[in-house]
Amino acid sequence: MAQKPSIPKGTRDFTPDEMVRRNYIFDSIKEVFQRYGYMPIETPAMENLDTLLGKYGDEGDKLLFKILNSGDFLNKADDGLLAQKDSNRLTGQISEKGLRYDLTVPFARFVVQHQNELSFPFKRYQIQPVWRADRPQKGRYREFFQCDVDVIGSDSLFNEVELIQIVDEVFRNLGIRVVIKLNNRKVLAGIAEIIGEASRLTDITVAIDKLEKIGLEKVNVELSEKGLTDDAIAKLQPILSLSGSNSGKLDQLAHIFASSELGTKGVEELREVLTIVESLDVETGVELDLTLARGLNYYTGAIFEVKALDMQIGSITGGGRYDDLTGIFGLKNVSGVGISFGADRIFDVMNQLELYPPEVTTTTQLMFVNFGPKEGAHCLKIASQLRKEGLKVEVYPDSAKMKKQMTYANKKNIAFVALVGEEEMNAGTVTLKNMESGEQSAMKVEDIIRTFTE
RNA sequence: GUGAUUGUAGCUCAGUCGGUUAGAGCGCCAGAUUGUGGCUCUGGAGGCCGCCGGUUCGAAUCCGGUCUUUCACCCCA
């Protein structure tokens, strides 16, 4: 007896029904990317482990899927480490490759390797799965697709603006109501500087990132536990309780940052981006959010996050500017900025809110009922003719019972069925039946084409 | 990774105190209906009760482990 098949934790299968919906999402996103001049690339599912390690922080390193070396991998392993069961150190000896954790780091590697073939600024998009050994939850998978757009080799804030326009267009096209949250790492660094804890930037950002979720008091407790002085925490309070419009917040921040060069720079950048965005026809709300931190530690400037307004789920898109990701791979002074659309979360939102336009789920427009070998062969010819006109047509392959064929068309949501039996063959006509209204009439092939293409 | 939680037919779920042959609705297949689907009626198929082990005369039910699901933390798309 065969064992019951299963798939690994946190992964999922997609049925044809789900794939048409997913492809609609991918196509919508791709179409916007292309309209802004981004070109596609792909990179391997696996990367060398040293390309990936150390780019996502300690937590990220733990979440990397590592691939066991081929062959007798234990042969080369150190006996001492083996005996001690020291997994951490042993890993380096038995695994040299890992599954990619995101698309940004492989992209940086790609840019460095291909720097002489590329012209900068280089704009690319990339839609591929990534893997994280996270514990799965709703909206959190171990394998999921990211749709990344990045510009590299340009410092201009126009790029940040363009990414906001892209986010706006993508979600408007898909019909998802969202808010774009914007912040800047320089502002966060400025805050750390001002309160006299410049070296604790990560601890501070991780803590204030939770402000909305756990409240001010608990954030302060956490900051204190992380070892911040009471004085520093006290200095932080007015910043955390900033409120009002984006420009109002920026004005207050500018004042606070009077003595911080870095913070001032961050405020200026935010102000410029927001000012330009306001002059364009961006409909999505862009909200300055000082508590937005983002864990990936390669960000250095603007950081973005997009939240769905009508569904409780983690952020569905996120990104930011990284000034020196390529530096690690030997290409200095190349700044990039990009964002990543989380296709699987977008898929979950679209499903929950049922945002698909009706035509997305229609595949076949017209199905020919098969009355027998002779009639079927005749239908095949008409079907080819219709396909040349761009119609999506199928001929039922077996001369099964009428009821079975009709039921098939029904299930597949096919709007029209064509009946061509001996009578129609002799008359040179096709009986076209509307499956919704039940109406049917005999017509010539040209009439059918006209019905569908008008 | 830490702490909880879930698993019974293709799907959603009942299943009493441990007790004979594990049920329902939906779906599926067939017939009523030979070239006309959806509605109705009739009949049928489909289950290692997640998996492994233990307790017991006897386990879907109790116990342990494991896998999976969902949730919180952590982190994130």
Side-chain angles (χ1 to χ4, degrees):
Chain A
M1 205 44 182
Q3 63 173 8
K4 237 181 195 172
S6 63
I7 55 174
K9 183 199 282 206
T11 65
R12 42 188 190 166
D13 285 328
F14 298 107
T15 61
D17 219 41
E18 292 168 316
M19 277 313 295
V20 266
R21 291 171 165 80
R22 282 174 75 81
N23 284 338
Y24 164 72
I25 295 171
F26 288 130
D27 291 345
S28 305
I29 292 174
K30 220 183 285 180
E31 189 266 330
V32 176
F33 289 174
Q34 286 170 351
R35 224 150 9 84
Y36 281 82
Y38 291 81
M39 299 289 285
I41 69 160
E42 287 201 2
T43 62
M46 56 183 127
E47 293 278 348
N48 292 327
L49 223 38
D50 51 16
T51 301
L52 302 174
L53 284 168
K55 312 300 188 295
Y56 311 107
D58 291 344
E59 287 298 322
D61 284 355
K62 281 186 210 153
L63 298 180
L64 281 171
F65 275 110
K66 295 162 191 89
I67 298 170
L68 222 42
N69 289 343
S70 322
D72 188 7
F73 53 84
L74 275 184
N75 197 21
K76 292 180 202 158
D78 184 278
D79 289 340
L81 296 179
L82 207 54
Q84 290 165 37
K85 300 191 173 175
D86 187 337
S87 307
N88 280 338
R89 290 171 64 199
L90 199 56
T91 303
Q93 300 186 358
I94 62 175
S95 169
E96 288 161 359
K97 299 178 289 293
L99 294 175
R100 69 165 104 75
Y101 179 90
D102 71 356
L103 300 178
T104 309
V105 168
F107 170 56
R109 191 224 80 221
F110 174 96
V111 167
V112 174
Q113 265 186 263
H114 297 268
Q115 52 184 289
N116 294 325
E117 305 150 45
L118 304 173
S119 52
F120 294 93
F122 177 55
K123 303 173 84 171
R124 76 87 233 234
Y125 73 86
Q126 185 172 357
I127 299 179
Q128 290 192 273
V130 302
W131 294 269
R132 296 182 188 177
D134 220 335
R135 189 171 287 200
Q137 286 178 34
K138 192 174 227 83
R140 177 181 298 194
Y141 307 97
R142 288 187 152 183
E143 175 183 68
F144 59 97
F145 272 78
Q146 292 194 328
C147 313
D148 273 39
V149 248
D150 287 80
V151 201
I152 198 158
S154 163
D155 293 326
S156 169
L157 292 175
F158 279 11
N159 298 306
E160 273 84 342
V161 172
E162 183 167 286
L163 292 177
I164 289 172
Q165 288 180 285
I166 288 174
V167 168
D168 175 55
E169 272 185 55
V170 164
F171 288 112
R172 246 161 55 195
N173 291 351
L174 290 175
I176 302 176
R177 300 199 314 127
V178 297
V179 60
I180 301 172
K181 302 209 168 188
L182 180 66
N183 196 7
N184 193 301
R185 270 288 165 90
K186 295 189 179 86
V187 167
L188 292 170
I191 293 173
E193 195 180 305
I194 284 291
I195 65 170
E197 297 276 4
S199 61
R200 314 299 295 274
L201 177 59
T202 308
D203 286 340
I204 295 168
T205 53
V206 165
I208 66 175
D209 187 38
K210 296 176 189 160
L211 185 62
E212 203 173 320
K213 199 168 176 182
I214 64 176
L216 186 58
E217 264 174 56
K218 285 185 179 168
V219 168
N220 287 340
V221 169
E222 186 165 330
L223 286 168
S224 172
E225 280 168 0
K226 289 270 165 70
L228 258 73
T229 62
D230 290 347
D231 183 42
I233 294 173
K235 279 185 183 162
L236 191 59
Q237 301 311 301
I239 299 170
L240 293 184
S241 49
L242 275 187
S243 61
S245 66
N246 288 342
S247 60
K249 285 183 198 165
L250 286 174
D251 290 342
Q252 295 173 68
L253 266 182
H255 187 68
I256 294 169
F257 283 149
S259 66
S260 166
E261 200 183 318
L262 201 56
T264 304
K265 183 84 171 50
V267 169
E268 279 168 11
E269 286 184 12
L270 283 169
R271 184 168 274 149
E272 185 173 342
V273 169
L274 287 168
T275 306
I276 302 172
V277 165
E278 268 167 41
S279 73
L280 298 166
D281 62 343
V282 171
E283 288 178 18
T284 303
V286 181
E287 184 184 307
L288 177 62
D289 183 355
L290 293 176
T291 70
L292 171 61
R294 296 193 59 74
L296 299 177
N297 57 12
Y298 49 66
Y299 292 124
T300 52
I303 43 185
F304 315 94
E305 204 159 279
V306 178
K307 302 272 285 181
L309 291 175
D310 300 313
M311 183 172 159
Q312 194 81 24
I313 193 165
S315 61
I316 55 178
T317 291
R321 178 170 286 275
Y322 39 90
D323 278 335
D324 204 23
L325 238 194
T326 57
I328 312 158
F329 302 119
L331 180 62
K332 299 275 181 204
N333 301 318
V334 178
S335 179
V337 59
I339 44 168
S340 177
F341 291 79
D344 289 82
R345 284 187 181 173
I346 293 172
F347 179 59
D348 290 346
V349 172
M350 295 284 293
N351 289 343
Q352 172 101 32
L353 270 36
E354 291 175 34
L355 296 174
Y356 301 95
E359 63 270 18
V360 170
T361 48
T362 328
T363 46
T364 303
Q365 295 170 285
L366 173 63
M367 185 196 88
F368 282 86
V369 171
N370 187 334
F371 285 105
K374 213 173 72 186
E375 294 87 341
H378 179 73
C379 291
L380 248 28
K381 286 185 218 154
I382 304 175
S384 304
Q385 210 178 330
L386 294 174
R387 289 191 191 111
K388 278 185 195 141
E389 299 294 327
L391 296 187
K392 294 170 186 163
V393 180
E394 65 181 296
V395 179
Y396 197 87
D398 307 296
S399 47
K401 275 186 184 156
M402 187 84 166
K403 175 172 171 136
K404 195 177 164 75
Q405 301 193 38
M406 296 297 276
T407 304
Y408 171 85
N410 225 21
K411 289 261 170 56
K412 231 178 144 179
N413 236 329
I414 298 173
F416 288 90
V417 160
L419 304 161
V420 185
E422 212 178 326
E423 269 176 48
E424 286 90 348
M425 273 179 76
N426 292 336
T429 60
V430 171
T431 297
L432 187 70
K433 179 181 171 93
N434 180 327
M435 289 295 278
E436 204 185 330
S437 65
E439 286 166 14
Q440 64 182 58
S441 60
M443 52 174 82
K444 300 268 184 202
V445 175
E446 300 78 66
D447 297 326
I448 294 181
I449 294 171
R450 200 157 341 112
T451 308
F452 279 96
T453 53
E454 70 192 6

